[in-house]
Amino acid sequence: MIAIARFHVPAGQAAQFRPQLERALEVFSEREGFTSGDFGQNLDEPELWSLVTHWLNVGSYRRALSSTAVKMEVVPLLATAIDEPGAYSRDL
């Protein structure tokens, strides 16, 4: 499965935001079922950022979200994401 979170980050906060995304990927990478992840800044609208993670299955993703480390370090970041569906299936 693929999890995508998009963020609106004012230009003046981009330098502080990037390390938060890097740390989120570090924390996620320690969870079972995480296969890869990346983040990026939109080329046309630089105030838009995305965090994309890949998981073996939806259960792995949900278990990761319920872990203490993720709750402490990643969930606060995810709470600032644009409110939209972000879980996608790769099995079509």
Side-chain angles (χ1 to χ4, degrees):
M1 72 133 323
I2 303 166
I4 302 171
R6 295 186 323 129
F7 304 87
H8 182 267
V9 181
Q13 296 176 11
Q16 295 82 22
F17 188 70
R18 183 183 177 106
Q20 293 178 48
L21 293 171
E22 291 169 346
R23 181 62 185 150
L25 285 177
E26 287 177 30
V27 174
F28 273 146
S29 72
E30 297 168 354
R31 308 310 316 157
E32 187 175 332
F34 176 86
T35 59
S36 66
D38 206 352
F39 63 87
Q41 185 177 22
N42 189 285
L43 296 173
D44 297 316
E45 293 185 44
E47 292 188 343
L48 288 178
W49 289 73
S50 65
L51 173 65
V52 179
T53 56
H54 296 258
W55 300 85
L56 289 177
N57 52 51
V58 70
S60 296
Y61 176 64
R62 289 181 177 158
R63 282 188 296 279
L65 289 177
S66 67
S67 75
T68 301
V70 171
K71 283 181 182 177
M72 297 295 291
E73 297 194 61
V74 181
V75 170
L77 172 68
L78 294 177
T80 68
I82 296 169
D83 187 16
E84 62 186 11
Y88 295 86
S89 174
R90 295 177 67 186
D91 301 322
L92 299 177

